[in-house]
């Protein structure tokens, strides 16, 4: 019998055959008094009775055992325990020959579970039945805040704990029912998430999910949602994973909704339809994802999404939409060698009528990262890609004149480097190489001007002009782009001091001027003659000099075993690029300033600024400050994003005391262009000994339409609770 199964925990009487049959061998008995009744074949142990066998022990005030019928009776403070479990009761009756017995008033513990049963009947060697059962994770099983009640529970050696018609209670109030529930402390527990809430868009909502772990490496989640303004929705998720490595996984998700209100209002419907977006009442998403490590150096992964419409993810899966607004379908296989890596990639947009995409059908890649060439003082790197590419447009784009195109493409880029050092301090690294690209199809674009003249009744002639751009597919062609260049830099440093401070031991200032010269002659096959798929197709003539200066302030900080390592307190770089072509306008590129600060373990700062020298204005500016305590989990993150004529946004994200009794987390986004908040989230949490409670809210500025109108602001409120013994079910938001 497996000691670790809940069957062995559930009822100590199932272990008595092992314990008492060993009375004449390795069973240790301690008692204040032992009495033998030879005529009746009885042994009675009285007073502080302890029976031990290995890690198992049975304690009682009195234990009587019949050596012929093997009937045992223990009474008074009966306690059974082993390494991880404790069971308590007042009396025990058990017959080791028939395998039947009873244990009224049972209490026990197993992992996070505490169990109490009014009556236990041993029905046979592999089955035990309990009556009037209460299961909880709270410390006080007599009056728990949360409990599961079932009239009948069957316990087996394999499928441990089968509760029939269990009812879930919170503070004595029933809130959930299941026809059957199986618990096994050897496996991950069943999770039930119930999130009531209210949204200005969805009305009253009740989002429910039920997660099960039938066996190691497999779990399921069943979803049933209700939104008063939209109707019912349901989903089923399946998860397969490698429990040993937790790297290989497969996920399959289904979600469907009968949406009574797919559009917020007539204005939104008109706006969507003007963009070619149609939303029906029957909405769904099917999502698949897998990653499999075939060998330590070979990996296979795939992902796919199929949607009912272009807005279903945005409406029902807000977090997924933020991470991937356009669904991707991809199959890839990668391999890694000692000095190379390769992969083959197949992508195809399954929702072609809704989204524009670049499809790889397929594309293979072979890379050699920068590597030393044997005994030569030279370095080499290369990248080669070959595949069939296709750009497809949405149905709306095709109806408005965009045409799909495709081409076979073979691209190979090779570069050789010769690092040198002159005068003992000046680094000069010339490079020579280039790339060759073959295109199965090219294009020729012509803009034609059409004129038409009309005369009115007074003989006045009016001439109008219109343009028409015509693109034709041309034959295959090759683009050759040789490249020559060199990088140069040197470092100078000075010791500011060598004393120990709060920042570290000593302070050093390092200055590194650098320059990078690149020359690529113009090819006959220019980007305007090439179908555009990615950055490779934009390559062309280049004659530039990039130059700048990098400054570092460094110290030494202690690591393991008393050693010290160099730590960058400040790392800042100022650079720009000058275009040496005679027709370049402007010649001087943007001035870039990039800085990273790591003054302490609990704070990190980075900012970058791009100054447009032609317009004499800031083109972009980004900044991020992160305060984080790795022990408590507290963090505050502040982000600033600026793009000229586009956005000027500040985002604040924080979580305080996530492991404590009271917690607080939130998110705020402020747009300076409109001088107002765009979005705010907040959630408060309270954790007791066994239950966590959360109340959250979310507000978002209403959508704005092309006609100048806007919707009312969106807001949501939701409640959530979870068992602190199983915090994996914690802190969702009000959406899926």
């Amino acid at each position: 019998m497996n000691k670790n199964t809940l069957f062995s925990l559930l009822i100590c009487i199932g272990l008595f055959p092992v314990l008492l049959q060993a009375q004449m061998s390795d069973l240790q008995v301690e008692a204040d008094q032992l009495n033998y009744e030879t005529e009746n074949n009885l042994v009675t142990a009285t007073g502080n009775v302890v029976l031990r066998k290995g890690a198992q022990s049975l304690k009682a005030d009195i234990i009587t055992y019949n050596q012929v019928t093997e009937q045992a009776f223990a009474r008074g403070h009966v306690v059974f325990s082993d390494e991880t479990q404790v069971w308590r009761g007042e009396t025990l009756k058990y017959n080791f020959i028939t395998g039947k017995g009873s244990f009224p008033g049972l209490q026990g513990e197993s992992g996070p579970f505490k169990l109490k049963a009014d009556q236990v009947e041993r029905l046979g060697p592999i089955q035990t039945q309990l009556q009037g059962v209460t299961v909880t994770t709270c410390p006080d099983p007599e009056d728990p805040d949360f409990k599961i009640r079932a009239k009948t529970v069957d316990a087996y050696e394999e499928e441990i704990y089968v509760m029939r018609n269990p009812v879930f209670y919170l503070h004595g109030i029933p809130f959930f029912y299941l026809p059957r529930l199986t618990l096994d402390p050897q496996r991950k527990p069943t999770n039930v998430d119930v999130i009531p809430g209210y949204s200005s868009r969805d009305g009253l909502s009740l989002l429910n999910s039920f997660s099960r772990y039938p066996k190691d490496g497999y779990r399921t989640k069943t979803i049933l949602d209700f939104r008063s303004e939209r109707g019912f929705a349901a989903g089923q998720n399946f998860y397969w994973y490698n429990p040993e490595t937790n790297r290989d996984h497969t996920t399959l998700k289904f979600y469907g909704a009968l949406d009574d209100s797919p559009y917020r209002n007539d204005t939104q419907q008109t706006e969507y339809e003007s963009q070619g977006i149609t939303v029906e009442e029957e909405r769904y998403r099917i999502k698949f994802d897998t990653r499999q490590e075939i060998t330590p150096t070979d990996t296979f992964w795939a992902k796919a999404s199929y949607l009912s419409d272009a807005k279903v993810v945005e409406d029902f899966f807000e977090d997924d939409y933020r991470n991937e607004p356009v669904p991707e379908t991809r199959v890839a296989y990668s391999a890694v060698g000692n000095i190379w890596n390769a992969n083959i990639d197949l992508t195809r947009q399954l929702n072609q009528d809704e989204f524009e995409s670049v499809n790889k059908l397929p594309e293979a890649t072979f890379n050699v990262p920068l590597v030393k060439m044997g005994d030569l003082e030279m370095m080499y790197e290369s990248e080669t890609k070959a595949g069939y590419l296709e750009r497809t447009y949405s149905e709306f784009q095709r109806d408005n004149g965009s045409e799909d195109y495709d081409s076979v493409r073979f691209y190979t880029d090779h570069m050789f480097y010769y690092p040198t050092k002159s005068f003992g301090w000046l680094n000069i690294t010339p490079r020579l190489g280039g790339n060759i690209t073959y295109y199965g199809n090219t294009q020729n674009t012509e803009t034609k001007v059409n004129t038409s003249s009309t005369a009115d009744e007074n003989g006045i002639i009016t001439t109008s002009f219109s343009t028409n751009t015509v693109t034709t597919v041309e034959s295959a062609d090759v683009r050759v782009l040789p490249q020559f260049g060199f990088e140069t830099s040197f470092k100078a440093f000075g010791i500011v001091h060598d004393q120990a401070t709060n920042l570290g031991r000593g302070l050093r200032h390092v200055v590194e001027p650098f320059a990078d010269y690149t020359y690529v002659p113009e090819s006959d096959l220019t980007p305007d003659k090439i179908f555009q798929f990615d950055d490779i197709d934009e390559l062309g003539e280049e004659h530039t000099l990039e130059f700048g200066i990098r400054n570092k302030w460094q110290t030494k900080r202690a690591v393991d075993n008393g050693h010290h390592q160099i730590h960058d307190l400040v790392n800042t770089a100022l650079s720009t690029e000058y275009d040496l072509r005679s027709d370049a306008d402007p010649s001087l590129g943007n001035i870039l300033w990039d800085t990273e600060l790591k003054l302490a373990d609990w704070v990190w700062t980075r900012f970058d600024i791009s100054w447009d020298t032609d317009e004499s204005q800031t083109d972009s500016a980004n900044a991020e400050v992160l305060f984080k305590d790795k022990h408590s989990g507290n963090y505050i993150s502040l982000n600033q994003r600026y793009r000229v004529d586009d956005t000027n946004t500040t985002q604040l994200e924080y979580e305080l005391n996530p492991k404590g009794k009271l917690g607080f987390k939130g998110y705020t986004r402020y747009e300076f262009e409109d001088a107002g908040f765009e979005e705010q989230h907040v959630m408060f949490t309270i954790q007791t000994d066994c239950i966590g409670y959360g109340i959250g809210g979310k507000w978002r500025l209403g959508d704005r339409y092309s006609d100048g109108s806007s919707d009312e602001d969106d807001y949501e409120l939701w409640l959530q609770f979870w068992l602190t013994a199983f915090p994996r079910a914690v802190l969702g938001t009000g959406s899926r």
Side-chain angles (χ1 to χ4, degrees):
M1 181 177 295
N2 185 347
K3 294 191 301 181
N4 294 325
T5 64
L6 189 56
F7 178 78
S8 62
L9 306 176
L10 180 66
I11 179 77
C12 63
I13 56 178
L15 295 169
F16 279 154
V18 178
L19 294 173
L20 297 183
Q21 284 176 348
Q23 184 172 5
M24 307 308 297
S25 54
D26 57 350
L27 179 65
Q28 301 176 9
V29 181
E30 297 178 10
D32 295 341
Q33 184 176 355
L34 290 174
N35 295 318
Y36 295 88
E37 298 181 27
T38 307
E39 295 180 359
N40 297 322
N41 298 308
L42 294 179
V43 178
T44 302
T46 306
N48 300 311
V49 184
V50 179
L51 284 76
R52 289 192 179 92
K53 184 177 182 181
Q56 302 167 337
S57 70
L58 177 66
K59 300 179 181 180
D61 294 339
I62 302 174
I63 297 178
T64 301
Y65 175 66
N66 189 305
Q67 300 177 78
V68 176
T69 64
E70 297 189 7
Q71 182 76 28
F73 179 49
R75 57 192 184 275
H77 304 96
V78 179
V79 178
F80 168 77
S81 65
D82 64 8
E83 293 177 333
T84 60
Q85 305 123 11
V86 178
W87 292 94
R88 295 180 174 87
E90 286 301 315
T91 61
L92 164 69
K93 291 181 180 180
Y94 188 77
N95 186 284
F96 292 96
I97 295 177
T98 64
K100 297 182 179 181
S102 64
F103 196 163
L106 173 71
Q107 292 187 14
E109 298 178 7
S110 173
F113 298 113
K114 295 177 177 62
L115 178 143
K116 181 180 178 182
D118 296 337
Q119 181 69 33
V120 177
E121 295 291 335
R122 176 80 172 186
L123 303 180
I126 64 170
Q127 183 180 5
T128 300
Q129 189 172 86
L130 299 86
Q131 303 292 333
V133 180
T134 300
V135 176
T136 183
T137 59
C138 298
D140 181 10
E142 297 296 333
D143 186 23
D145 293 337
F146 167 81
K147 63 183 177 182
I148 306 173
R149 285 282 296 168
K151 291 183 178 180
T152 303
V153 175
D154 292 324
Y156 303 90
E157 279 190 305
E158 298 302 329
E159 196 173 49
I160 303 303
Y161 222 174
V162 181
M163 306 184 73
R164 310 291 180 180
N165 302 306
V167 179
F168 293 70
Y169 291 82
L170 182 64
H171 294 289
I173 301 174
F175 70 92
F176 197 75
Y177 164 81
L178 288 172
R180 172 188 167 110
L181 175 64
T182 302
L183 300 178
D184 184 346
Q186 294 186 73
R187 301 172 183 167
K188 294 183 178 180
T190 297
N191 290 331
V192 178
D193 285 340
V194 180
I195 307 178
Y198 177 81
S199 163
S200 58
R201 175 68 176 93
D202 299 338
L204 293 172
S205 63
L206 188 63
L207 309 183
N208 307 282
S209 65
F210 175 59
S211 298
R212 294 186 67 249
Y213 298 80
K215 63 180 180 179
D216 284 346
Y218 173 62
R219 70 182 179 96
T220 66
K221 177 185 282 189
T222 303
I223 298 170
L224 180 61
D225 296 339
F226 172 74
R227 301 171 178 89
S228 62
E229 295 296 322
R230 310 190 80 150
F232 286 94
Q236 182 64 58
N237 300 346
F238 302 93
Y239 307 87
W240 296 268
Y241 57 94
N242 187 331
E244 296 181 358
T245 65
N246 207 29
R247 290 194 297 268
D248 299 345
H249 69 268
T250 299
T251 303
L252 181 60
K253 299 180 178 181
F254 301 90
Y255 191 83
L258 296 176
D259 195 347
D260 296 335
S261 180
Y263 300 101
R264 179 187 295 272
N265 48 46
D266 293 341
T267 304
Q268 186 183 69
Q269 181 174 356
T270 302
E271 182 81 5
Y272 281 4
E273 291 176 350
S274 70
Q275 302 170 10
I277 299 173
T278 302
V279 182
E280 303 291 346
E281 292 186 0
E282 296 182 359
R283 311 184 70 182
Y284 56 84
R285 180 184 76 163
I286 304 173
K287 187 176 182 179
F288 172 79
D289 178 75
T290 187
R291 181 191 184 278
Q292 302 297 323
E293 192 174 273
I294 309 301
T295 71
T297 60
D298 292 53
T299 304
F300 171 82
W301 68 91
K303 60 186 300 187
S305 290
Y306 188 70
L307 313 178
S308 60
D309 56 79
K311 294 293 183 178
V312 63
V313 177
E314 183 179 356
D315 286 351
F316 293 101
F317 305 93
E318 182 177 325
D319 290 341
D320 288 356
Y321 179 75
R322 291 178 185 272
N323 295 329
E324 190 179 76
V326 177
E328 181 184 36
T329 297
R330 182 184 184 190
V331 178
Y333 189 95
S334 67
V336 179
N338 292 331
I339 61 169
W340 58 270
N341 61 77
N343 69 278
I344 185 167
D345 211 351
L346 174 65
T347 63
R348 178 77 178 185
Q349 178 56 256
L350 297 182
N351 303 274
Q352 292 194 52
D353 289 342
E354 284 77 27
F355 301 101
E356 174 187 358
S357 67
V358 173
N359 303 318
K360 302 175 182 179
L361 305 170
E363 183 180 58
T365 302
F366 183 84
N367 296 320
V368 177
L370 192 62
V371 62
K372 191 174 185 297
M373 298 179 62
D375 296 332
L376 299 176
E377 296 299 325
M378 295 184 67
M379 309 290 287
Y380 168 78
E381 67 177 347
S382 70
E383 179 184 26
T384 300
K385 292 176 176 285
Y388 177 71
L389 306 181
E390 175 189 60
R391 178 179 286 276
T392 58
Y393 293 94
S394 67
E395 183 178 20
F396 176 74
Q397 291 172 311
R398 294 194 298 269
D399 291 343
N400 285 273
S402 297
E403 296 184 3
D404 298 347
Y405 55 80
D406 57 76
S407 177
V408 171
R409 187 182 73 181
F410 175 82
Y411 166 82
T412 184
D413 181 274
H414 303 264
M415 193 64 63
F416 297 88
Y417 303 85
Y418 185 62
T420 65
K421 180 170 286 189
S422 301
F423 315 112
W425 55 270
L426 180 61
N427 300 305
I428 302 176
T429 304
R431 64 179 181 272
L432 181 65
N435 61 76
I436 299 175
T437 311
Y438 168 83
Y439 291 93
N441 294 323
T442 58
Q443 66 175 350
N444 181 41
T445 302
E446 294 182 347
T447 301
K448 297 181 179 180
V449 179
N450 302 316
T451 61
S452 61
S453 300
T454 59
D456 61 15
E457 58 185 8
N458 298 318
I460 298 176
I461 299 175
T462 301
T463 302
S464 60
F465 301 88
S466 63
T467 59
N468 183 30
T469 301
V470 179
T471 300
T472 57
V473 179
E474 302 292 335
S475 60
D477 206 342
V478 176
R479 181 189 66 190
V480 180
L481 295 174
Q483 182 183 139
F484 166 75
F486 65 87
E487 299 177 30
T488 182
S489 66
F490 69 88
K491 292 182 180 180
F493 66 89
I495 303 298
V496 179
H497 66 78
D498 58 1
Q499 300 174 355
T501 68
N502 292 333
L503 298 177
R505 191 174 71 181
L507 181 63
R508 181 174 71 171
H509 180 204
V510 181
V511 179
E512 183 182 6
F514 61 88
D516 187 355
Y517 171 77
T518 302
Y519 174 67
V520 179
E522 185 177 12
S523 171
D524 292 336
L525 189 60
T526 54
D528 61 297
K529 300 177 183 178
I530 297 172
F531 287 117
Q532 297 294 305
F533 300 102
D534 54 34
D535 294 344
I536 290 176
D537 308 312
E538 298 176 2
L539 298 176
E541 180 186 13
E542 186 176 356
H543 194 193
T544 60
L545 177 64
E546 180 186 359
F547 56 94
I549 186 170
R550 182 176 293 107
N551 282 268
K552 293 184 179 181
W553 280 264
Q554 300 175 326
T555 188
K556 288 185 177 181
R557 289 187 175 172
V559 292
D560 295 337
N561 301 323
H563 297 289
H564 288 74
Q565 68 179 14
I566 296 175
H567 174 80
D568 291 341
L569 296 171
V570 180
N571 185 353
T572 181
L574 186 67
S575 64
T576 188
E577 184 178 86
Y578 191 84
D579 196 327
L580 299 172
R581 293 177 297 179
S582 58
D583 58 347
D585 183 26
S587 298
L588 185 64
N590 287 5
I591 297 176
L592 308 177
W593 183 24
D594 191 346
T595 298
E596 184 178 20
L597 307 176
K598 293 189 290 184
L599 302 181
D601 293 337
W602 51 271
V603 60
W604 175 84
T605 304
R606 181 173 182 177
F607 62 86
D608 62 83
I609 299 174
S610 176
W611 176 263
D612 190 329
T613 58
D614 186 45
E615 298 291 337
S616 297
Q617 64 180 12
T618 300
D619 184 59
S620 66
N622 305 298
E624 181 177 359
V625 181
L626 175 64
F627 302 92
K628 185 171 184 178
D629 184 349
K630 61 183 180 181
H631 300 293
S632 67
N634 295 336
Y635 76 88
I636 299 175
S637 175
L638 182 65
N639 289 271
Q640 172 67 35
R641 296 289 181 265
Y642 171 78
R643 299 288 185 277
V644 63
D645 300 328
D646 184 15
T647 185
N648 187 6
T649 303
T650 295
Q651 300 176 72
L652 175 66
E653 187 174 356
Y654 50 89
E655 184 169 11
L656 304 177
N657 203 29
K659 301 177 182 179
K661 297 296 184 182
L662 299 177
F664 182 48
K665 67 182 299 185
Y667 169 82
T668 297
R669 186 172 73 245
Y670 185 88
E671 176 59 58
F672 286 91
E673 291 291 334
D674 300 322
F677 289 97
E678 288 190 333
E679 187 172 357
Q680 295 189 68
H681 302 188
V682 65
M683 186 162 189
F684 297 91
T685 61
I686 300 175
Q687 297 194 63
T688 66
D689 290 336
C690 64
I691 300 180
Y693 304 88
I695 179 170
K698 179 165 56 178
W699 169 88
R700 184 168 51 200
L701 191 67
D703 295 334
R704 298 182 181 181
Y705 301 117
S706 56
D707 62 2
S709 63
S710 62
D711 281 332
E712 295 181 356
D713 296 347
D714 287 335
Y715 59 89
E716 296 180 33
L717 297 172
W718 66 90
L719 300 172
Q720 190 173 9
F721 84 92
W722 63 95
L723 303 180
T724 55
F726 314 126
R728 66 173 54 86
V730 172
L731 298 185
T733 61
S735 66
R736 277 289 164 208

